[in-house]
Amino acid sequence: MKQLYTRWGERLDSEHILQEYPRPILIRNTDYTILNGEWEYTFTENSERPVEYGGKILVPFSPECILSGVARQLKPEEYLWYRKEILLERWNVKTERRHMLLHFGAVDQMCKVFVNDTLVTEHIGGYLPFSADITDYICEGKNELVVMVQDDSDTSYHARGKQKLESGGMFYTAQSGIWQSVWLEEVSDKWVKHIDTRIKKYVEKERSEGCLETVKIEIYVESNKINEKIPVEIEIRFPEIYSDSGSNLTETESFLQRLPEVMMTVQGKTNSWIEVEIPNPKCWNCEKPYLYYMHVKMQGYRPGNVCVDEVESYFAIRRFEIKNDRHNIPRMYLNGKEHFQKGVLDQGYWPDGLYTGPSDEALIFDICEMKRMGFNMVRKHIKIEPERWYYHCDRLGMIVWQDMVNGGERYHHWFVTYLANVMSWPGLTMKDNHSRLLSRQNQDGRNEFVREVKETIKLLKNHPSICTWVIFNEGWGQFETKKITDMVRNLDPGSMIDSASGWFDQGTGDFQSVHNYFFPLKVKPEKIRAAVLSEYGGFTFGVEGHVASEKKYGYGSYKTVSKYKKAYEQLEDKVIHLKEKGLCGCVYTQWSDIEDEINGIYTYDRKINKLENDVSDVR
C-alpha cells in the first residue's frame, strides 16, 4: 500500500502535537498539561514489565500509522508498552489540598496505567475517554507514567468499528494504543465533574419573526462529591455566532477571549437540576449556530466561602423532531420548521494518522468543506471522534448523526452484507433474535455494548450538533433492538434514533432507514417514522498519485472524471426528486477515499476534490 500524507501531516511539528484543550465543553483555563509528544515504547510477548524500551513514539498517534514514527502493528498476542517521565516542579497536596487528574481521550483497546510503579486504573474499550485521580501516587520532581496496551481487534467481541487485522475492501487497517490526547489537570479537593443541560419546556407562542418568546432549560452541575450539594453560581452569556472559516480557531479556545457580555446569573447547588428561563432565545441551526456560553463557579465550605473550582461551558437551544406535514407525510423538523438533512458519510480515517487527525486544523477543514459542498449533516460512521471535532460541528453549524461503535463475534458477511442487501430491495427483514447469524452470542459482549452506548450518550449528548443516535448498522452485532432503543430514548429524549440503519428493521426508532447502492432509488413513506436514505452512492474514481491501494472498492466504477461527475449529478437529481415523495434525509457515501475504498468526494490525503478540481481523465 502506498503511503499518502495530508498537508498537515507533511508539516507536523513533533514538539507541538495537538496542543489544544481536549474537552471544549468543560474547560478549565489553567493548571493543565498536554502530554502529547514523544514517549518511549516497546512491544513484548508477555505482560511482564519491560526493563528497556525500544524506541520513541509520537503520542497520540497509534503505532500502526506513519506519523507515530513506528509503523508497526500490535498483534492480539502481544503487549504494547508506553513510558514517559513527568516533571512536577511544585506539588504539595497536603498543604494545597489539590488533586491531580490524568486523562486519556481514548486507548484502543484494553490498557493498564501505572504511576511510579503503582497500578492506578485499567480500562476496556477503545473509543471512550477515562481518567484517574493520581494524587496519592505522585511526588515533586520526576514521576514515571507507564501504559500497557492489548488489542484483540476483530478477533473478539469488543467494539472495533471498521478495523480489521487483514484489511481490505470496506475494512481498514487495524490500529491500537493511545490515539487521542493525554493530559494532566490540577483541581481542588472539590471539582466540577460534568455539566448536563436539557430543554425543559418550549413556550410555543412565537413572535412575528418566528422566534420563541421564552425557553426553560435545566442545568445539572455534577461534582466529584456526589453525596454533597455544593453551592454554584452560573453566569450565562449572550449567544455569539462564528461565521468564519475557522482558520483563526486553531489556537487553544480563542473564543474565551471574546465572550459576549453576561446575560444573567443564577444560583443553585451541585448534583441537582437548576432551572433557567431564557427570554427571547436565539435558536441554533445550520445557518446561524448560536451558542450560549456559561461560566460556572463552585463554592467551598471554607472561611469566606471561596471559589474552589470554575469552568467554562456552552449550550444551545434547538429542537429536532418528526411530525407530519400537510400531506400527512412524516418529516424532520428543526426548531419547528421542516428541515431536509443532506448528509455525507464520514469514517474519520486519515492516511498518515489513521484514527487520529493530524491537527485541529485538519478536523476543521473537513467540516468546513462539507458545509461548502452543500451538506448540512454528517454521519459519523461507527467511530467516536475526539470532543474537539464535535465542538467544531457545534460552532460551525453541522448536524451530526452519531453511530454507536459496532462489536460482536466474527461476522457472517454472506448474511449481514450480501444476502441482506438482496433482501432489502423487496423490503424483507428478519427478527433480531438470531444471535449466531448476527454475531451476538457472547453475553459479556452484549453487556459491554450496552454499557458503551450509555457512556457514549453521556459523553456527547450535550453537544448541540448531535441530532441522531444510530444504534446498529447493517445488522453488525445487532440484538434486542427495541429494548436498547427505549433505553436510548430515556437517556436522551431530545435526540432522534436510527435503530437499525440499512436493514433488519424491527419497526422501532424514528426512521425507516434504508441503504441502497445497487437498485433504483425509491421511497415509500410510513405513517409515523420518517423515510431516510441513510447510505447511497459510493461511486468509485481514483486520482493518479492520490490513491493508497492498487485495489478498487466501491459501488460503480468510473474511469474518467467527467463520467464520475455526471453520475454523481444524475444521482443527486434523483434524490431531490424523492424529497417530493417523502424522503426526509440522505447520506452520501462517502467523504473521503480510505485505502481500498476510493469512493470518496475527496481523495484520502484531502488534496483533491474530485467534483471540483481540474482532474485530468486518468485510468
Side-chain angles (χ1 to χ4, degrees):
M1 192 174 291
K2 179 182 177 182
Q3 180 61 59
L4 300 178
Y5 286 87
T6 63
R7 70 198 72 175
W8 308 280
E10 288 171 338
R11 59 174 188 255
L12 189 75
D13 180 0
S14 61
E15 299 294 322
H16 301 89
I17 305 290
L18 295 170
Q19 293 297 298
E20 295 82 11
Y21 192 86
R23 191 187 55 208
I25 207 162
L26 184 65
I27 297 173
R28 288 186 180 86
N29 294 322
T30 57
D31 298 330
Y32 70 92
T33 304
I34 304 294
L35 297 181
N36 297 338
E38 196 175 79
W39 292 43
E40 295 177 276
Y41 83 94
T42 194
F43 291 85
T44 64
E45 295 181 353
N46 57 55
S47 60
E48 292 183 12
R49 183 158 170 189
V51 177
E52 296 181 353
Y53 289 78
K56 305 292 185 180
I57 184 171
L58 281 182
V59 169
F61 297 109
S62 67
E64 289 80 5
C65 76
I66 196 70
L67 292 183
S68 70
V70 178
R72 185 231 200 255
Q73 190 170 61
L74 174 66
K75 302 293 185 182
E77 65 275 8
E78 295 179 319
Y79 296 81
L80 168 62
W81 296 82
Y82 294 83
R83 180 182 180 275
K84 187 174 183 64
E85 277 194 352
I86 304 168
L87 182 62
L88 299 175
E89 295 181 345
R90 52 171 188 83
W91 184 254
N92 191 333
V93 67
K94 293 181 180 179
T95 58
E96 295 186 13
R97 301 184 68 176
R98 303 288 288 174
H99 284 244
M100 182 69 80
L101 307 180
L102 174 62
H103 301 287
F104 291 85
V107 180
D108 193 7
Q109 186 176 54
M110 298 162 282
C111 72
K112 294 183 178 181
V113 180
F114 302 84
V115 174
N116 294 330
D117 296 325
T118 301
L119 176 66
V120 297
T121 192
E122 46 192 312
H123 187 261
I124 296 176
Y127 295 84
L128 291 161
F130 61 97
S131 303
D133 184 347
I134 62 172
T135 308
D136 295 336
Y137 312 107
I138 55 177
C139 59
E140 188 170 354
K142 290 183 179 179
N143 292 265
E144 183 187 55
L145 173 59
V146 171
V147 181
M148 182 192 78
V149 176
Q150 293 174 275
D151 191 350
D152 290 338
S153 193
D154 59 315
T155 67
S156 183
Y157 56 73
H158 300 297
R160 58 181 178 269
K162 285 289 195 79
Q163 299 183 68
K164 206 169 190 298
L165 289 170
E166 296 181 9
S167 61
M170 67 172 118
F171 297 97
Y172 320 132
T173 298
Q175 60 112 71
S176 63
I178 300 170
W179 67 274
Q180 290 189 26
S181 291
V182 186
W183 49 299
L184 291 170
E185 185 174 40
E186 286 188 52
V187 295
S188 177
D189 56 341
K190 296 183 178 70
W191 67 86
V192 175
K193 190 175 181 181
H194 180 74
I195 297 177
D196 197 1
T197 57
R198 67 184 183 188
I199 296 174
K200 184 180 181 183
K201 183 180 179 182
Y202 277 88
V203 178
E204 296 295 344
K205 182 181 178 183
E206 296 186 359
R207 302 197 305 274
S208 58
E209 61 267 34
C211 297
L212 296 164
E213 287 192 341
T214 59
V215 168
K216 290 183 180 179
I217 68 163
E218 289 182 321
I219 302 170
Y220 189 91
V221 180
E222 180 183 341
S223 73
N224 66 309
K225 302 290 186 180
I226 58 174
N227 295 320
E228 293 184 20
K229 293 188 181 295
I230 305 169
V232 291
E233 178 182 273
I234 302 173
E235 290 180 348
I236 297 176
R237 298 176 182 271
F238 287 97
E240 183 163 318
I241 180 173
Y242 299 105
S243 58
D244 56 56
S245 66
S247 59
N248 64 328
L249 285 164
T250 56
E251 297 178 2
T252 302
E253 308 317 331
S254 60
F255 71 81
L256 290 174
Q257 278 71 57
R258 44 182 209 272
L259 284 174
E261 294 181 358
V262 174
M263 176 181 177
M264 64 176 67
T265 302
V266 295
Q267 278 81 30
K269 293 186 177 180
T270 62
N271 308 312
S272 58
W273 288 99
I274 303 164
E275 187 174 306
V276 182
E277 190 170 283
I278 306 292
N280 303 319
K282 291 183 178 293
C283 291
W284 184 97
N285 58 44
C286 299
E287 294 73 33
K288 295 181 179 180
Y290 289 106
L291 299 178
Y292 287 83
Y293 292 95
M294 56 183 172
H295 185 85
V296 180
K297 294 180 181 179
M298 188 167 74
Q299 310 298 325
Y301 292 113
R302 303 176 194 164
N305 200 30
V306 298
C307 175
V308 295
D309 194 21
E310 51 187 324
V311 296
E312 302 281 351
S313 187
Y314 64 88
F315 64 91
I317 297 168
R318 89 287 184 272
R319 176 172 53 180
F320 296 109
E321 60 185 334
I322 293 173
K323 58 184 180 180
N324 288 18
D325 65 11
R326 60 190 178 88
H327 301 293
N328 207 31
I329 296 175
R331 300 282 187 181
M332 284 192 282
Y333 287 76
L334 173 58
N335 304 326
K337 296 181 180 179
E338 189 177 321
H339 190 258
F340 186 86
Q341 295 190 11
K342 179 177 172 58
V344 63
L345 193 76
D346 179 22
Q347 316 263 8
Y349 263 80
W350 304 83
D352 41 14
L354 292 182
Y355 261 8
T356 310
S359 71
D360 203 52
E361 185 183 353
L363 304 183
I364 294 170
F365 172 85
D366 266 5
I367 299 165
C368 288
E369 281 295 284
M370 289 173 190
K371 288 207 71 175
R372 190 184 63 79
M373 291 292 294
F375 297 105
N376 60 18
M377 178 262 281
V378 53
R379 180 180 170 194
K380 180 53 64 174
H381 198 36
I382 45 182
K383 178 197 176 190
I384 299 171
E385 290 286 0
E387 276 204 78
R388 292 196 62 82
W389 184 85
Y390 300 94
Y391 157 63
H392 293 311
C393 289
D394 294 340
R395 69 175 185 83
L396 292 169
M398 176 62 78
I399 292 171
V400 175
W401 284 33
Q402 177 62 51
D403 286 18
M404 300 301 168
V405 184
N406 57 290
E409 298 83 52
R410 186 177 296 276
Y411 297 150
H412 304 288
H413 282 286
W414 66 267
F415 179 71
V416 297
T417 300
Y418 307 117
L419 181 59
N421 220 311
V422 175
M423 291 168 59
S424 69
W425 173 243
L428 298 177
T429 187
M430 59 168 276
K431 297 294 183 182
D432 62 0
N433 56 2
H434 299 276
S435 59
R436 185 186 67 83
L437 289 174
L438 296 175
S439 307
R440 274 297 186 189
Q441 294 181 283
N442 188 291
Q443 187 59 47
D444 289 340
R446 290 174 174 231
N447 295 341
E448 183 175 280
F449 179 81
V450 170
R451 173 179 59 80
E452 291 185 346
V453 166
K454 292 177 179 178
E455 291 181 10
T456 300
I457 292 172
K458 182 173 182 179
L459 174 70
L460 299 178
K461 73 174 184 177
N462 286 311
H463 286 278
S465 56
I466 293 288
C467 165
T468 299
W469 303 109
V470 182
I471 301 176
F472 294 110
N473 179 70
E474 296 185 349
W476 293 2
Q478 187 172 343
F479 69 103
E480 296 182 349
T481 310
K482 186 179 186 309
K483 181 179 178 181
I484 296 175
T485 299
D486 292 343
M487 178 191 77
V488 171
R489 184 86 67 201
N490 260 351
L491 292 170
D492 186 15
S495 295
M496 297 186 288
I497 302 172
D498 184 356
S499 299
S501 183
W503 32 81
F504 301 144
D505 184 11
Q506 304 300 300
T508 188
D510 295 303
F511 299 109
Q512 172 199 1
S513 180
V514 175
H515 295 183
N516 191 341
Y517 292 109
F518 305 108
F519 308 109
L521 297 181
K522 64 179 182 178
V523 63
K524 187 178 179 180
E526 296 180 352
K527 292 182 178 180
I528 298 175
R529 300 189 305 171
V532 295
L533 187 56
S534 47
E535 285 187 31
Y536 75 102
F539 294 153
T540 298
F541 173 68
V543 179
E544 187 176 357
H546 300 273
V547 176
S549 172
E550 294 181 359
K551 300 177 183 178
K552 294 182 179 180
Y553 184 89
Y555 310 101
S557 180
Y558 297 90
K559 294 183 177 181
T560 65
V561 68
S562 56
K563 291 181 179 180
Y564 167 79
K565 289 180 180 180
K566 183 178 180 181
Y568 178 87
E569 291 165 359
Q570 289 176 340
L571 185 63
E572 291 305 290
D573 286 342
K574 293 177 182 178
V575 171
I576 291 172
H577 181 66
L578 289 178
K579 289 170 60 177
E580 302 170 4
K581 297 184 177 183
L583 187 69
C584 299
C586 60
V587 180
Y588 182 81
T589 303
Q590 62 185 331
W591 180 242
S592 74
D593 295 347
I594 307 168
E595 299 183 356
D596 289 0
E597 280 196 353
I598 55 171
N599 55 5
I601 292 173
Y602 259 90
T603 54
Y604 196 14
D605 54 15
R606 308 307 202 273
K607 291 181 179 178
I608 301 293
N609 183 321
K610 301 177 192 177
L611 294 174
E612 292 186 342
N613 288 67
D614 183 18
V615 182
S616 60
D617 285 356
V618 295
R619 293 184 180 273

